[in-house]
Amino acid sequence: MRRRISLLALLLTAPCLFAAEEWQTLFNGRDLSGWRANVMAESFSVVDGAIRAHATKPSAHLFYAGDMKTGFMRFKNFVLEATCRSEPNSNSGIFIHTDMTTRDSALHLAKGYEIQLNSTAKEKRKTGSLYAVVDLAQSPVDESQWFRIRITVSGKRIMIHLNDKPVVDYTEPDNVKRPPERAGRLFDPQGGGIALQAHDPGSVFYFKDIRIKRLP
């Protein structure tokens, strides 16, 4: 009888154990192992257990590469979580379904979607926006304090949560047309990279507790 109860307890707890194992930690809190900058690697460092993004000039992006010797890892359907905060008057972003292609002299990424991190007074697209696609007029968080961002991608649908509050739920229409300067702002059928943005010398953002769970 006791053996049967023990087996039942194991079966009941097993799904929780398996679910926990699905999460992959992307940042070890000590160094930039597993990450690769497309340009200006000095724009990224680790300070007090967090990735510090501070561009030497506009702009640089830090891609998750895992154990790949070149390039970056691709993710198609996933849940991505990170804890973030900024110094005053800072601009940054998290890119998904992207690659290292740039589109202008400031080296902005040409492909994929950007989740905006910028709540400066002059910025109309506030933190949590799906940049230039679904824009938020007001920031739902105080960026000077640590806040949690969750990005869920399933097929052509993307959902963004800040501190567990839903702020964006967008599905990319079939055959959608973007302005010429943002023609690459689309989901890639093969998935794409995840990149943290160091926007400019006046902006400082921090990222920690970065993890991802792949979805079917």
Side-chain angles (χ1 to χ4, degrees), residues 59-183:
S59 58
H61 296 83
L62 189 67
F63 284 73
Y64 182 71
D67 58 2
M68 297 180 66
K69 301 299 183 184
T70 61
F72 54 89
M73 290 195 69
R74 289 182 173 270
F75 298 90
K76 184 176 181 180
N77 298 318
F78 56 85
V79 182
L80 174 67
E81 293 186 346
T83 303
C84 318
R85 77 168 180 87
S86 74
E87 301 292 348
N89 300 313
S90 291
N91 187 354
S92 185
I94 299 174
F95 282 77
I96 61 168
H97 273 243
T98 191
D99 63 21
M100 292 186 177
T101 307
T102 57
R103 60 180 172 85
D104 55 26
S105 60
L107 302 180
H108 293 125
L109 296 180
K111 295 183 180 180
Y113 284 99
E114 178 187 2
I115 292 79
Q116 170 79 313
L117 298 175
N118 183 351
S119 293
T120 59
K122 65 180 181 180
E123 178 57 53
K124 295 181 180 179
R125 299 176 171 115
K126 302 297 187 183
T127 290
S129 297
L130 188 61
Y131 193 93
V133 178
V134 180
D135 294 322
L136 306 181
Q138 294 184 333
S139 176
V141 294
D142 176 2
E143 290 181 328
S144 67
Q145 306 297 316
W146 290 107
F147 64 94
R148 193 73 175 158
I149 185 166
R150 182 166 76 250
I151 303 160
T152 305
V153 175
S154 181
K156 291 190 173 184
R157 183 185 182 188
I158 179 169
M159 294 171 284
I160 302 170
H161 289 72
L162 297 181
N163 289 340
D164 293 325
K165 176 184 177 182
V167 295
V168 169
D169 189 341
Y170 171 79
T171 299
E172 181 185 286
D174 293 337
N175 303 314
V176 64
K177 298 295 183 183
R178 304 292 188 206
E181 69 275 13
R182 303 195 189 281

